[in-house]
Amino acid sequence: MEKEYYVSRAKLYRDEAQRAITYINNGDEQYSHLIYQNLCKSFRLELKVLKDDVPLYRQMLVEFNEQVANHNDILTNLVWIRARVRQFE
């Protein structure tokens, strides 16, 4: 049960990253930026409250936070997030 929850959370991150990528491709950078900011905030907050008994999920969140902290452009980070979640699934 718990594993399915974390896989579901990861898929949500993947879907949101894809949605933001779609907005970028459609020329709507403002919505994309809002989604990206929400994703970044979610990564930080979830990492703070995550139980230690889910090491793979925790590692993924740590990597997300490191990736966005590198200040790459938003599209690069979104594509990376989407790909990294696929590895977790």
Side-chain angles (χ1 to χ4, degrees), residues 9 17 20-21 26 34 44 46 50 56 60 73 79 82:
R9 292 286 304 157
I21 291 167
N26 291 336
L34 289 172
R44 287 190 305 273
E46 189 166 9
L50 185 65
L56 293 175
M60 185 181 69
D73 66 276
V79 170
R82 183 182 63 184

Side-chain angles (χ1 to χ4, degrees), residues 17 21 43 59-68 70 72-87:
I21 291 167
F43 300 153
Q59 180 61 35
M60 185 181 69
L61 290 175
V62 166
E63 290 173 13
F64 285 172
N65 280 303
E66 290 171 354
Q67 177 71 21
V68 300
N70 288 335
N72 298 317
D73 66 276
I74 291 175
L75 183 58
T76 299
N77 284 343
L78 290 168
V79 170
W80 185 89
I81 290 165
R82 183 182 63 184
R84 179 61 181 89
V85 169
R86 288 181 179 150
Q87 293 172 358

Side-chain angles (χ1 to χ4, degrees), residues 6-7 11 17 19 23 26 28 30 32 35 51 56 61 64 69 77:
Y6 292 108
V7 170
K11 287 180 179 179
R19 191 165 69 110
Y23 277 122
N26 291 336
D28 198 340
Q30 185 177 6
S32 177
I35 294 168
K51 295 186 246 176
L56 293 175
L61 290 175
F64 285 172
N77 284 343

Side-chain angles (χ1 to χ4, degrees), residues 16-45:
E16 286 300 292
Q18 180 58 52
R19 191 165 69 110
I21 291 167
T22 300
Y23 277 122
I24 288 173
N25 290 337
N26 291 336
D28 198 340
E29 305 264 337
Q30 185 177 6
Y31 278 125
S32 177
H33 189 69
L34 289 172
I35 294 168
Y36 179 73
Q37 286 179 323
N38 285 335
L39 280 171
C40 293
K41 185 176 180 180
S42 294
F43 300 153
R44 287 190 305 273
L45 293 174

